[in-house]
Amino acid sequence: MPKQYRGANQGSSILHDMLAVKVGGHQPNQNIPPLLITNSNATKSTTLASFDTNMESPKITLRPFNLSDVDAFMAWAGDDRVSHFAGWDTFTSNDNALNYIRDTIIPHPWYRAICLGDRPVGSVSVKQGPGAADRCRASIGYGVAHEYWGRGIATRAVEVVVSGIFEEWPHLMRLDGLVDVENLGSQRVVEKAGFVKEGVLRKYLVVKGRTRDMVMYSVTRDDGGDDDGLF
């Protein structure tokens, strides 16, 4: 299995899961196609957002992963262009990918496949802070297969997470996004999704043997006009 960075959670002070906001530089264009995105768990699927224009576009949905998604998963997890900025090494076999889906992704509290139709083309996940004092915040991470870069898919997926996660987790007050300073594509993704740039954390993480400067982004419950979270 590829080496995992266990010091912190994705998108915030620690990398925790395989796919982090630092994944390959998505380049969303100015004209985002109309999308229908749903957030679902094992028992229900809830439509969160729809965007109607005159342009033709496939539906995009968020759903839990299945073991049968391994081939689709390898389309981005096995691609060096996607893993370039990530804290994980490119997957080189379906067996390792299958083990990862079974042992890490499926048990994860909030890890979704980004799908065109029912075929995954990427993933998005949310991880709550590790301690009691951190339960007011969480971090977001995502990755999209290279052939789908530039279509606004990652931006829409992040937008729909933001639109629903504060309601789904009433205690949550803040969602972090941590992006490599050189990953301009992913910086545009979170900025278009409404995240606020807070600053650059210099020499913040060691990724693939190099000490990296990271840009911290966040969106809060107050940004959406909601009341304080319930503790």
Side-chain angles (χ1 to χ4, degrees), residues 5 180-182 201-214:
Y5 290 82
D180 193 289
V181 72
E182 295 183 4
L201 304 173
R202 297 182 301 164
K203 307 302 181 186
Y204 191 68
L205 288 174
V206 177
V207 179
K208 295 181 171 68
R210 296 178 59 196
T211 304
R212 308 297 301 173
D213 295 344
M214 310 300 294

Side-chain angles (χ1 to χ4, degrees), residues 117-173:
D118 193 50
R119 180 175 177 79
V121 298
S123 70
V124 61
S125 59
V126 178
K127 176 70 173 183
Q128 188 169 291
D134 302 306
R135 73 186 302 260
C136 65
R137 65 179 177 85
S139 54
I140 189 168
Y142 57 84
V144 173
H146 179 264
E147 66 180 291
Y148 297 101
W149 290 4
R151 296 178 55 176
I153 291 173
T155 298
R156 279 297 191 226
V158 173
E159 285 176 341
V160 78
V161 172
V162 172
S163 75
I165 195 63
F166 290 104
E167 180 179 354
E168 187 172 343
W169 291 359
H171 59 277
L172 189 66
M173 294 296 293

Side-chain angles (χ1 to χ4, degrees), residues 47-122:
T47 299
L48 297 180
S50 63
F51 307 88
D52 296 321
T53 76
N54 294 325
M55 298 175 60
E56 293 291 333
S57 177
K59 292 180 180 180
I60 289 183
T61 59
L62 305 184
R63 65 159 174 80
F65 275 89
N66 303 308
L67 292 178
S68 59
D69 294 325
V70 62
D71 289 334
F73 176 80
M74 282 294 291
W76 69 90
D79 189 338
D80 291 338
R81 294 167 296 185
V82 178
S83 67
H84 178 71
F85 286 107
W88 46 276
D89 293 331
T90 305
F91 279 67
T92 57
S93 76
N94 278 31
D95 286 343
N96 285 343
L98 188 66
N99 291 339
Y100 191 83
I101 293 172
R102 183 191 63 224
D103 299 338
T104 300
I105 292 180
I106 290 176
H108 193 283
W110 212 103
Y111 209 127
R112 301 291 187 264
I114 305 170
C115 298
L116 292 175
D118 193 50
R119 180 175 177 79
V121 298

Side-chain angles (χ1 to χ4, degrees), residues 174-177 179 187 190-191 195-197 215-218:
R174 171 190 171 96
L175 188 63
D176 293 339
V179 187
Q187 290 178 45
V190 291
E191 288 169 359
F195 281 66
V196 175
K197 182 178 179 179
V215 186
M216 175 62 80
Y217 290 88
S218 73

